[in-house]
Amino acid sequence: MSAQLSDLTVAAFVAAVNAGDRDAFHALLTPDATMSDDDTDRALSLWAEKEIFSSNGRMDVESVSADGRTLIATYTNSTWGAMHTRWSFTVSGERISRFETSQA
């Protein structure tokens, strides 16, 4: 990871993705967490299994917003290869209630 992550919850999300740790990933989400991919809402658990865990997803964070909740990253998985992506997070307490990802 080349950029310093200042929001601890977002940093834990990136670490869980990069470790392929399903339990840590899901523990970071609120029970009603939602997400979107390229501006389309998706079923979070199904999307995560397909796009992260079953395809060895990894995030190499390149830049971080001042509040630490928006990232630009090269996202790589075995399905799509490497993509330049933007990730935005809504954090409630110490958990993520929504994240949005798209091509950057």
Side-chain angles (χ1 to χ4, degrees), residues 9 11-30 53 94-96:
T9 303
F13 178 96
V14 173
V17 168
N18 287 346
D21 189 336
R22 286 175 180 86
D23 291 337
F25 176 88
H26 289 289
L28 288 165
L29 304 173
T30 62
F53 302 112
E94 295 180 355
R95 297 174 86 189
I96 294 167

Side-chain angles (χ1 to χ4, degrees), residues 90-104:
T90 303
V91 178
S92 301
E94 295 180 355
R95 297 174 86 189
I96 294 167
S97 59
R98 181 168 176 83
F99 67 92
E100 300 171 351
T101 184
S102 62
Q103 298 284 326

Side-chain angles (χ1 to χ4, degrees), residues 67-100:
D67 68 359
R69 294 186 177 172
T70 301
L71 316 174
I72 300 297
T74 297
Y75 185 76
T76 306
N77 69 24
S78 59
T79 303
W80 306 107
M83 301 168 278
H84 196 70
T85 57
R86 179 180 187 273
W87 297 74
S88 297
F89 298 87
T90 303
V91 178
S92 301
E94 295 180 355
R95 297 174 86 189
I96 294 167
S97 59
R98 181 168 176 83
F99 67 92
E100 300 171 351

Side-chain angles (χ1 to χ4, degrees), residues 29-95:
L29 304 173
T30 62
D32 60 346
T34 61
M35 63 85 55
S36 71
D37 183 359
D38 287 329
D39 297 320
T40 301
D41 279 6
R42 308 286 183 181
L44 194 155
S45 291
L46 294 173
W47 181 91
E49 185 57 38
K50 180 181 176 189
E51 300 294 337
I52 298 172
F53 302 112
S54 294
S55 60
N56 303 307
R58 295 206 34 90
M59 298 173 74
D60 180 22
V61 178
E62 299 167 12
S63 65
V64 181
S65 64
D67 68 359
R69 294 186 177 172
T70 301
L71 316 174
I72 300 297
T74 297
Y75 185 76
T76 306
N77 69 24
S78 59
T79 303
W80 306 107
M83 301 168 278
H84 196 70
T85 57
R86 179 180 187 273
W87 297 74
S88 297
F89 298 87
T90 303
V91 178
S92 301
E94 295 180 355
R95 297 174 86 189

